[in-house]
Amino acid sequence: DFQSAFRLENVGQAAVGGGTSMFGTYLAGGVSFFFGDILGNKNLGVGIQSYGTLKDIGGEAIYQDLGHRWNWGVAISRVPYLTGGETIQPVTINGQPGYGEQISDYLFRQYFNSLEGMVQYPLNTTQRFEASAGFTRITYDVEVDQVTSYNGYVIDETQQSVDSLTPPGLNLFQGSLAFVGDYSYFGFTSPVGGGRYRLEIDPTLGS
């Protein structure tokens, strides 16, 4: 009898790097895994990536069950986005002559935390109905790293989150309903004949 156990089918290109400095630990890289049964009825994809500190680690997991007429799936993810800027301004240290400056690195992070479910019902080999519903919570974090130097020597280092610059989080609800047709024929890399169409309503509500 067929046993629908998950087996590792593919590993995405993996990369990893790291380091440490006065501001903490740095991690970068990513890897993804795809699991499935031998018939492709059940699929599981998992990915993780990072491009900064521990705060910048994100990941996603997607599960699909395609073994019945009603196909369904669920996805959960946490994706951070990092941007930043820098200011440099002169400072006076205890009224002493000399050259002092303060370098401030501003790190702006957005976190997209999502949970989504979806279903598909094929009418025939070329047409299907699709529906999905999901929730996304967007949060923010503002961090300031400051280094104060005097005549070329570092005399102070600070790292802190700034609540006064951090906007409130957002709650978004998404839903969709679609009628899809696909009678295309594939070549080696893309469709070479036939056609596709999609009629969809996709509202977003909330914040």
Side-chain angles (χ1 to χ4, degrees):
D1 293 336
F2 168 65
Q3 300 294 326
S4 60
F6 278 120
R7 295 176 175 86
L8 181 62
E9 296 185 357
N10 184 48
V11 178
Q13 184 175 3
V16 64
T20 184
S21 71
M22 67 182 70
F23 293 122
T25 302
Y26 174 86
L27 296 174
V31 65
S32 61
F33 303 93
F34 184 81
F35 303 87
D37 59 25
I38 195 171
L39 297 180
N41 290 333
K42 297 180 179 180
N43 301 307
L44 175 64
V46 180
I48 185 171
Q49 68 175 12
S50 176
Y51 50 88
T53 65
L54 296 177
K55 290 183 176 182
D56 303 305
I57 295 177
E60 183 176 26
I62 301 176
Y63 173 79
Q64 287 183 314
D65 190 322
L66 310 177
H68 305 281
R69 186 68 176 267
W70 282 97
N71 301 327
W72 64 274
V74 62
I76 185 171
S77 65
R78 174 179 172 83
V79 181
Y81 294 93
L82 174 65
T83 58
E86 185 177 73
T87 62
I88 302 176
Q89 59 183 1
V91 296
T92 301
I93 308 300
N94 296 327
Q96 300 296 321
Y99 180 74
E101 65 178 5
Q102 186 179 73
I103 302 174
S104 300
D105 288 323
Y106 292 85
L107 303 177
F108 303 96
R109 293 182 174 90
Q110 292 179 312
Y111 299 100
F112 283 72
N113 306 289
S114 300
L115 178 63
E116 182 182 13
M118 67 284 289
V119 294
Q120 296 180 351
Y121 185 80
L123 301 175
N124 48 55
T125 58
T126 63
Q127 295 175 323
R128 67 182 182 271
F129 282 106
E130 294 182 359
S132 68
F135 170 75
T136 299
R137 169 71 175 171
I138 304 175
T139 58
Y140 303 90
D141 178 73
V142 180
E143 184 179 291
V144 180
D145 299 339
Q146 289 184 335
V147 174
T148 303
S149 64
Y150 182 68
N151 289 338
Y153 295 92
V154 176
I155 61 174
D156 186 51
E157 303 167 9
T158 61
Q159 183 182 48
Q160 60 182 347
S161 295
V162 183
D163 294 335
S164 61
L165 297 178
T166 304
L170 304 175
N171 297 313
L172 301 177
F173 300 88
Q174 302 96 14
S176 70
L177 182 64
F179 178 67
V180 183
D182 188 346
Y183 52 97
S184 58
Y185 299 92
F186 268 74
F188 287 107
T189 60
S190 64
V192 295
R196 292 173 172 174
Y197 56 85
R198 183 181 188 91
L199 305 175
E200 180 176 5
I201 181 172
D202 188 4
T204 299
L205 307 174
S207 304

